[in-house]
């Protein structure tokens, strides 16, 4: 039961983190909120024209989702694979968005790297926190 609870909680927290950072992105770059995700060609063009700052915030949202969601899943379930499941789901979502949305190359690369870094950092943090249930490094 802890494993399922950890996965569900981790996924919900990951979505909250992603949407929270994306909300900040829309506050800083209002043009991002004016186009529909259904219009993939325009969305990619608007992201590209918004500049590197907006693109980095997208990457930060994917990192934050994988990090926070993965940490929660790993801490609750006590299983390392649970955090990588969350990071993998974020990676799949980010990569699909970047490719289907015709995002600029920086975001296409970040869609893969950011969730992996987030998952790795969550795992490193959990290894150093014995109370999280995953044990200290040997």
């Amino acid at each position: 039961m802890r494993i399922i609870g950890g996965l569900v909680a981790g996924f919900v927290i990951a979505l909250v983190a992603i949407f929270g950072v994306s909300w900040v992105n829309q506050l800083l770059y209002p043009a991002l909120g004016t186009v529909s995700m259904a219009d993939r060609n325009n969305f990619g063009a608007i992201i590209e024209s918004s500049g590197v700052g907006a693109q980095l915030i997208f990457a930060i949202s994917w990192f934050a989702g994988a990090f926070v969601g993965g940490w929660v899943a790993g801490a609750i379930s006590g299983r390392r694979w649970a955090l990588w499941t969350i990071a993998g789901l974020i990676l799949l979502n980010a990569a699909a968005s970047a490719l289907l949305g015709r995002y600029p190359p920086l975001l296409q690369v970040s869609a893969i790297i950011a969730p992996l870094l987030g998952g790795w950092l969550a795992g490193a943090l959990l290894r150093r926190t014995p109370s999280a249930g995953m044990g200290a490094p040997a």
Side-chain angles (χ1 to χ4, degrees):
M1 197 59 154
R2 286 183 65 189
I3 294 171
I4 293 171
L7 287 170
V8 170
F11 187 69
V12 169
I13 295 297
L15 291 178
V16 169
I18 290 169
F19 289 127
V21 174
S22 295
W23 177 72
V24 170
N25 204 7
Q26 288 185 0
L27 289 176
L28 295 174
Y29 300 95
L32 294 175
T34 62
V35 70
S36 169
M37 282 294 288
D39 188 7
R40 294 183 181 128
N41 293 329
N42 267 346
F43 195 73
I46 288 177
I47 289 174
E48 192 164 16
S49 68
S50 293
V52 175
Q55 294 175 35
L56 288 176
I57 295 174
F58 268 104
I60 289 169
S61 74
W62 296 326
F63 171 85
F67 172 68
V68 176
W71 187 88
V72 167
I76 291 173
S77 70
R79 305 287 195 278
R80 181 165 311 284
W81 62 262
L83 81 87
W84 285 110
T85 300
I86 301 300
L89 289 171
I90 302 304
L91 185 144
L92 288 173
N93 181 11
S97 295
L99 293 174
L100 294 175
R102 294 186 172 91
Y103 287 5
L106 173 65
L107 273 184
Q108 290 179 359
V109 171
S110 297
I112 295 169
I113 293 174
L116 291 175
L117 282 176
W120 175 81
L121 188 60
L125 183 63
L126 283 171
R127 275 194 307 273
R128 297 186 188 284
T129 312
S131 63
M134 295 183 58

